[in-house]
């Protein structure tokens, strides 16, 4: 019965009867429980400890485990009888068993109901399993259908894309093959200056290119439009050629500003592009006509302009005799203040340097007929600047026009530019070579060199390389000539005979004045674009001028006059140089050292006549003091007395006379004042030394020491004699 109940509960899906007796089910459970209890009792009662199969080690392990149980430990502690305790436990188990059977019987109805519910659930789940199996089968078929639809969709999408691509190409082909009536009427009838004509010309150019492409592919549809496209092309080429040539011919009209039609052509630069792409012979004709016309226009304009500019140049210009070392005669009149209205100075920069200022350098060009009406005259560098600024302005504009309209760049643009401007540039170089070969105005040549250097920088900044070779050619003409003139001036000073230069005069010599003006001019111009060759030549010129000044000074009989001449010339050259050159320039530093040395020598020279005795005594005494031999002068009481009394009685008159003499000797009042101050300072130092010597033990007993002038009093009195300017 236990097996039957166990089978009934263990496999609910196999039970088909839902009306089992609840009491029987409960009894089956109870019987099953009792059987398990009997088996437990039997296993304990029939345990044979002497059986060979029993393993003593395992018994020890079980005993040890049971001994660790809390309940066993408590029983052993209290000394409980295990047999009695076992019977008590068995009785309690039987009571529990009886209570459990009663509970099972009491709940038999619920157990039977639970059994029936489980059976019903099994049948429901079985039906659901069938339904889900059907769903799975249906889903499998739907999945295969979806895959089929997806494949069909991909295939249809590919076919659609292919059809759209074909349609796009066919539409473009049809559009390009069709020649609209509006294009035909516009090309045939509209003026080329109309915006609509330009737009239709772009469309026509596209159709021509497309037709060429189709002909390469041997497309049969191309033959349908080839004839009408060719006729439209010929008509467009004819109208464009006529329009461009008319604009070019308009350049040739007298008094025409050719920049206006040039700007018009730039608005229609596509015309030449169309000719170049579709009718190269006509494009070459147009280009050649433009080159020929503009070449003649530029040549004629610049030839006329250059010729008219030369008419407003100074009438008197420097010649081969106008050198720095040539004697200053009345005939030459360089520094005898000739009329500067008709000629410029040769060695003086004056206002000529302003030509290099940005405002003058890029200012408006000269208008010759206006200058002639005003009887104005200009130095060569002004005419040179005006001429070459006109060239720079027109050359840059022409190069940009050629690059833009004729679509050329690099060497092609340079070649095209040279074909237009080459004749004009050659004319410039030829006329310049002729003028420069007979020019002796070194400042004008040097200014022209720096004008070219600045113009070259301007074209580089504008990124216009068209005139680079011309600038180099001009510099190759000007530099050698400038160096030659400078070397001629150096030789002229080197070969100067002082005895042929007229009366001797301690004032600054006109040759040194020429050098000072010239050197300051070249140094100030050369600061922006330094040139080592120029600096070297200026160094040679300075050496020759210094030698010349020494030679001229040697002509004076007295050392005093020699020193006055040297100081006046050094001071004059230094003053002129410092006005224009930097204070740290080589020329300024050199003349500062020379002036300082000669000034110190002159101070000793002018102090010597009135105070020479005292100065000699102080120097002699100081030398003996250094050697410890001052006692050798102890017998010089008479000399010392004479020196003390002589100084006290005459120093004021001597200082006054010396001051007047110095101011008469030097042309520069500031320099004369500096020399007087230096002389008075040196005098006080000598007199202080005189005091120091007489305070030595050797001379302390001299009665004349009481007649010495108080040094502080002397300084106060001396200050009264310092001139103020």
């Amino acid at each position: 019965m236990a097996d039957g109940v166990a089978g009934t509960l263990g496999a609910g899906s196999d039970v088909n009867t839902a009306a089992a007796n609840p009491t029987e089910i409960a009894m089956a459970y109870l019987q099953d429980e009792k059987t398990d209890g009997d088996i437990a009792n039997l296993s304990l009662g029939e345990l044979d400890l002497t059986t060979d199969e029993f393993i003593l080690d395992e018994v020890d392990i079980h005993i040890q485990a049971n001994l660790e149980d809390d309940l066993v430990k408590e029983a052993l502690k209290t000394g409980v009888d295990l047999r009695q305790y076992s019977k008590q436990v068995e009785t309690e188990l039987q009571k529990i068993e009886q209570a459990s059977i009663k509970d099972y019987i009491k709940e038999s109805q619920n157990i039977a109901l639970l059994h029936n519910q489980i059976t019903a659930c099994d049948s429901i789940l079985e039906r659901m399993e069938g339904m889900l199996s059907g769903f799975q089968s249906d889903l499998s078929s739907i999945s295969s259908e979806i895959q089929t639809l997806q494949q069909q969709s991909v295939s249809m999408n590919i076919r659609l894309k292919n059809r759209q691509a074909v349609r796009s190409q066919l539409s473009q082909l049809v559009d390009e093959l069709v020649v609209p009536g509006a294009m035909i009427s516009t090309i045939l009838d509209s003026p080329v200056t109309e915006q609509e004509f330009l737009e239709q010309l772009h469309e026509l150019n596209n159709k021509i290119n497309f037709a060429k492409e189709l002909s390469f592919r041997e497309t049969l549809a191309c033959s349908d439009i080839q004839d009408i496209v060719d006729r439209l092309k010929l008509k467009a080429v004819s109208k464009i050629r006529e329009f461009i040539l008319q604009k070019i011919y308009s350049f040739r009209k007298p008094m025409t500003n050719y920049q206006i039609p040039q700007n018009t052509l730039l608005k229609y630069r596509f015309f030449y592009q169309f000719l170049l792409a579709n009718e190269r012979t006509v494009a070459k004709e147009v280009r050649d006509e433009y080159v020929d016309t503009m070449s003649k226009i530029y040549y004629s304009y610049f030839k006329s302009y250059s010729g008219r500019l030369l008419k407003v140049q100074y009438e008197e210009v420097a010649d081969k005799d106008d050198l720095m070392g040539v004697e200053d005669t009345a005939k030459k009149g360089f520094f005898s203040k000739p009329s500067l209205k008709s000629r410029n100075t040769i060695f003086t920069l004056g206002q000529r340097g302003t030509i290099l200022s940005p405002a003058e350098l890029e200012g408006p060009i000269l208008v010759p007929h206006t200058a002639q009406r005003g009887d104005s005259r200009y130095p060569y560098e002004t005419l040179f600047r005006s001429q070459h600024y006109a060239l720079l302005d027109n050359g840059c504009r022409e190069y940009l026009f050629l690059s833009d309209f004729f679509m050329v760049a690099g060497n092609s643009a340079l070649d095209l530019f040279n074909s237009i401007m080459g004749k004009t540039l050659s004319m410039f170089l030829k006329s310049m070579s002729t003028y420069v070969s007979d020019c002796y105005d070194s400042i004008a040549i040097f200014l022209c060199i720096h004008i070219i250097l600045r113009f070259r920088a301007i074209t580089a900044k504008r990124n216009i390389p068209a005139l680079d070779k011309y600038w180099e050619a001009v510099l190759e003409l000007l530099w050698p000539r400038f160096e030659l003139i400078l070397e001629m001036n150096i030789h002229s000073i080197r070969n100067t005979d002082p005895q042929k230069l007229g009366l001797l005069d301690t004032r600054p010599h006109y040759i040194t004045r020429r050098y000072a003006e010239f050197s300051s001019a070249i140094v100030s111009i050369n600061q922006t674009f330094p040139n080592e060759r120029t600096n070297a030549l200026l160094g040679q010129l300075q050496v020759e001028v210094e030698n010349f000044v020494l030679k001229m000074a040697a002509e004076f009989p007295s050392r005093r006059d020699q020193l006055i001449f040297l100081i006046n010339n050094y001071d004059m050259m230094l003053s002129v140089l410092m006005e224009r050159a930097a204070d740290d320039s080589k020329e300024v530093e050199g003349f500062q050292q020379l002036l300082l040395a000669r000034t110190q020598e002159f101070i000793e020279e002018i102090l010597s006549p009135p105070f020479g005795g005292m100065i000699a005594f102080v120097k002699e005494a100081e030398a003996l003091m250094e050697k410890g031999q001052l006692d050798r002068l102890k017998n010089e009481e008479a000399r010392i007395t004479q020196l003390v009394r002589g100084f006290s009685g005459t120093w004021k008159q001597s200082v006054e006379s010396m001051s007047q003499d110095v101011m008469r000797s030097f042309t520069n009042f500031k320099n004369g004042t500096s020399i007087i101050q230096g002389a008075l300072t040196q005098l006080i130092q000598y007199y202080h030394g005189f005091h120091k010597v007489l305070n030595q033990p050797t001379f302390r007993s001299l009665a004349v020491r009481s007649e010495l002038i108080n040094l502080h009093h002397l300084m106060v009195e001396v200050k009264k004699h310092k001139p103020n300017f």
Side-chain angles (χ1 to χ4, degrees):
M1 182 177 179
D3 293 337
V5 174
T8 300
L9 295 176
S13 60
D14 295 334
V15 177
N16 297 323
T17 303
N21 189 346
T23 305
E24 291 178 358
I25 295 173
M27 291 302 294
Y29 281 113
L30 293 175
Q31 186 63 37
D32 188 51
E33 291 292 335
K34 183 177 180 181
T35 303
D36 293 338
D38 292 340
I39 293 171
N41 292 333
L42 180 60
S43 61
L44 290 174
E46 294 178 357
L47 179 62
D48 186 3
L49 298 178
T50 61
T51 305
D52 294 336
E53 295 178 0
F54 189 80
I55 301 174
L56 295 177
D57 292 338
E58 292 182 1
V59 173
D60 291 338
I61 293 172
H62 285 295
I63 292 173
Q64 186 65 34
N66 290 330
L67 288 175
E68 292 178 359
D69 184 78
D70 293 338
L71 194 58
V72 175
K73 288 181 179 179
E74 183 65 27
L76 291 175
K77 278 183 181 181
T78 56
V80 176
D81 186 359
L82 292 179
R83 293 185 184 90
Q84 184 66 31
Y85 185 74
S86 175
K87 290 179 180 181
Q88 182 182 350
V89 170
E90 185 176 353
T91 303
E92 290 178 357
L93 285 175
Q94 288 177 357
K95 291 179 180 180
I96 292 171
E97 181 181 357
Q98 293 298 324
S100 177
I101 290 171
K102 291 179 181 179
D103 288 338
Y104 274 122
I105 293 172
K106 183 179 179 181
E107 296 295 332
S108 60
Q109 294 294 331
N110 292 333
I111 293 173
L113 180 60
L114 176 62
H115 174 73
N116 293 333
Q117 289 177 351
I118 292 173
T119 302
C121 287
D122 286 342
S123 63
I124 292 171
L125 291 174
E126 185 177 358
R127 289 197 303 273
M128 289 182 66
E129 182 180 1
M131 291 172 62
L132 291 175
S133 298
F135 287 157
Q136 184 178 5
S137 170
D138 294 340
L139 288 174
S140 299
S141 61
I142 290 173
S143 176
S144 62
E145 290 178 1
I146 290 174
Q147 290 179 354
T148 303
L149 291 174
Q150 186 178 9
Q151 293 174 356
Q152 292 176 356
S153 175
V154 171
S155 176
M156 292 174 68
N157 191 30
I158 293 173
R159 289 199 298 271
L160 177 61
K161 288 183 178 179
N162 291 337
R163 289 178 182 178
Q164 288 177 341
V166 171
R167 179 182 178 182
S168 174
Q169 294 182 1
L170 287 175
S171 297
Q172 182 179 359
L173 176 63
V174 171
D175 290 341
E176 295 293 343
L177 288 174
V178 172
V179 180
M183 177 186 293
I184 298 173
S185 60
T186 302
I187 297 297
L188 295 178
D189 302 329
S190 296
V192 295
T193 55
E194 294 284 343
Q195 181 64 26
E196 187 179 359
F197 180 87
L198 186 60
E199 294 174 358
Q200 294 299 333
L201 188 65
H202 278 279
E203 291 295 327
L204 177 60
N205 189 58
N206 292 335
K207 291 188 181 300
I208 292 172
N209 293 333
F210 189 71
K212 289 179 181 178
E213 183 180 349
L214 292 180
S215 65
F216 291 148
R217 299 178 184 175
E218 299 181 355
T219 304
L220 296 177
C222 177
S223 59
D224 295 339
I225 63 166
Q226 190 67 51
D227 180 59
I228 188 170
V229 168
D230 288 342
R231 284 188 289 174
L232 286 176
K233 181 182 72 172
L234 292 176
K235 183 63 177 178
V237 167
S238 175
K239 294 177 72 173
I240 291 171
R241 174 184 176 276
E242 182 181 358
F243 171 77
I244 296 178
L245 290 179
Q246 283 180 353
K247 290 296 179 185
I248 294 174
Y249 294 152
S250 68
F251 296 169
R252 302 176 181 178
K253 295 179 181 179
M255 306 300 292
T256 299
N257 184 357
Y258 62 87
Q259 295 175 10
I260 295 176
Q262 268 188 342
N263 293 334
T264 303
L265 287 176
L266 284 178
K267 290 170 59 178
Y268 302 102
R269 60 175 65 85
F270 181 71
F271 287 174
Y272 183 78
Q273 182 180 346
F274 183 83
L275 294 179
L276 194 64
N278 299 289
E279 200 64 50
R280 286 186 172 272
T281 55
V282 177
K284 185 177 184 302
E285 177 191 2
V286 168
R287 177 169 162 171
D288 292 344
E289 190 66 34
Y290 178 84
V291 169
D292 181 65
T293 299
M294 293 307 298
S295 176
K296 292 177 180 177
I297 288 175
Y298 281 125
Y299 180 78
S300 175
Y301 166 73
F302 279 108
K303 183 178 181 180
S304 173
Y305 183 66
S306 300
R308 284 182 284 132
L309 277 179
L310 291 177
K311 294 180 181 180
V312 295
Q313 186 182 3
Y314 282 130
E315 296 176 358
E316 295 183 28
V317 295
D319 57 30
K320 62 181 180 180
D321 294 325
D322 294 328
L323 299 174
M324 202 174 295
V326 175
E327 59 183 299
D328 191 9
T329 63
K331 180 180 179 180
K332 292 295 174 185
F334 289 138
F335 295 96
S336 58
K337 296 185 178 178
S339 174
L340 296 180
K341 185 177 180 181
S342 60
R343 68 186 299 271
N344 63 306
T345 56
I346 298 173
F347 302 106
T348 305
L349 184 62
Q351 296 299 316
R352 298 169 71 182
T354 58
I355 195 73
L356 298 179
S357 65
E360 291 284 337
L361 191 68
E362 300 183 52
I365 62 174
L366 288 177
V367 181
H369 63 271
T370 304
Q372 283 179 310
R373 282 203 302 267
D375 198 23
S376 299
R377 291 294 181 267
Y378 301 94
Y380 177 72
E381 66 270 9
T382 301
L383 310 181
F384 182 89
R385 196 280 318 174
S386 185
Q387 181 187 44
H388 281 81
Y389 188 68
L391 174 65
L392 181 148
D393 192 41
N394 286 275
C396 290
R397 184 182 293 107
E398 186 63 31
Y399 180 81
L400 293 174
F401 174 82
L402 296 175
S403 301
D404 197 0
F405 186 78
F406 291 104
M407 298 179 297
V408 289
N411 291 331
S412 300
L414 294 177
D415 293 341
L416 184 58
F417 178 84
N418 290 328
S419 64
I420 294 175
M421 300 295 294
K423 190 176 179 182
T424 301
L425 298 179
S426 298
M427 181 264 293
F428 269 21
L429 290 173
K430 184 177 180 181
S431 62
M432 197 182 311
S433 177
T434 302
Y435 178 85
V436 168
S437 63
D438 196 37
C439 177
Y440 294 90
D441 188 352
S442 53
I443 290 182
I445 297 294
F446 199 58
L447 285 172
C448 291
I449 289 173
H450 279 264
I451 288 171
I452 293 298
L453 292 175
R454 284 161 172 78
F455 281 168
R456 185 173 66 179
I458 291 173
T459 54
K461 185 177 180 180
R462 296 181 183 179
N463 197 24
I464 306 293
L467 293 171
D468 288 352
K469 290 185 178 179
Y470 175 74
W471 300 140
E472 294 299 328
V474 174
L475 292 175
E476 288 176 2
L477 277 175
L478 297 177
W479 273 118
R481 187 63 187 178
F482 172 74
E483 293 174 359
L484 175 63
I485 299 173
L486 206 53
E487 290 172 353
M488 292 172 64
N489 281 288
I490 292 172
H491 289 303
S492 71
I493 294 177
R494 182 183 301 158
N495 299 328
T496 298
D497 185 358
Q499 296 181 352
K500 295 181 180 181
L501 297 180
L503 297 176
L504 294 176
D505 192 345
T506 57
R507 290 176 296 180
H509 200 274
Y510 58 82
I511 289 181
T512 58
R513 183 174 293 279
R514 290 175 184 173
Y515 162 76
E517 295 287 353
F518 177 78
S519 180
S520 65
I522 299 301
V523 169
S524 63
I525 296 171
N526 198 46
Q527 287 175 351
T528 308
F529 292 92
N531 180 268
E532 293 301 323
R533 175 62 178 162
T534 302
N535 293 333
L537 290 172
L538 285 178
Q540 295 179 24
L541 182 61
Q542 181 180 352
V543 170
E544 296 301 331
V545 170
E546 291 175 3
N547 292 336
F548 165 76
V549 173
L550 293 176
K551 286 193 297 183
M552 284 297 300
E555 296 294 317
F556 291 92
S558 68
R559 182 59 181 168
R560 180 178 178 279
D561 289 341
Q562 291 177 0
L563 291 172
I564 292 173
F565 177 80
L566 291 173
I567 291 172
N568 275 329
N569 281 274
Y570 290 152
D571 177 65
M572 182 272 299
M573 289 187 287
L574 186 61
S575 299
V576 175
L577 282 170
M578 291 182 68
E579 287 181 6
R580 297 186 179 275
D583 292 343
D584 58 349
S585 65
K586 183 175 64 176
E587 292 81 5
V588 170
E589 291 179 355
F591 285 117
Q592 282 178 335
Q593 294 174 1
L594 291 172
L595 178 61
L596 181 63
R598 299 289 80 81
T599 299
Q600 192 62 36
E601 184 180 353
F602 179 74
I603 288 173
E604 296 290 337
E605 187 72 23
I606 60 175
L607 289 176
S608 181
F611 309 110
M614 181 190 70
I615 294 172
F617 176 78
V618 170
K619 290 181 178 179
E620 181 182 359
E622 287 178 347
L624 291 174
M625 284 172 62
E626 290 181 0
K627 298 178 181 179
Q629 302 175 359
L630 190 60
D631 291 342
R632 294 172 58 181
L633 295 176
K634 63 182 179 179
N635 297 324
E636 298 284 346
E637 181 178 353
R639 178 184 175 189
I640 293 172
T641 301
Q642 182 182 1
L643 291 175
V644 171
R645 292 173 178 172
F647 183 86
S648 301
T650 63
W651 76 268
K652 289 185 179 180
Q653 295 83 355
S654 299
V655 167
E656 184 67 29
S657 175
M658 181 178 64
S659 299
Q660 295 176 358
D661 185 35
V662 168
M663 296 310 298
R664 285 194 301 268
S665 300
F666 297 100
T667 55
N668 186 347
F669 289 136
K670 183 178 179 181
N671 184 42
T673 302
S674 176
I675 291 174
I676 292 174
Q677 290 177 351
L680 295 178
T681 301
Q682 189 67 33
L683 175 62
I684 292 174
Q685 289 179 355
Y686 279 132
Y687 199 68
H688 179 263
F690 191 49
H691 267 264
K692 187 177 179 181
V693 170
L694 295 184
N695 284 331
Q696 297 298 316
T698 305
F699 304 111
R700 285 179 183 173
S701 60
L702 294 178
V704 76
R705 289 180 65 248
S706 62
E707 300 181 23
L708 286 171
I709 300 174
N710 180 270
L711 192 62
H712 179 71
H713 176 71
L714 178 64
M715 293 174 64
V716 172
E717 291 295 324
V718 163
K719 285 183 180 179
K720 297 179 181 179
H721 291 83
K722 288 184 178 180
N724 297 316
F725 296 96

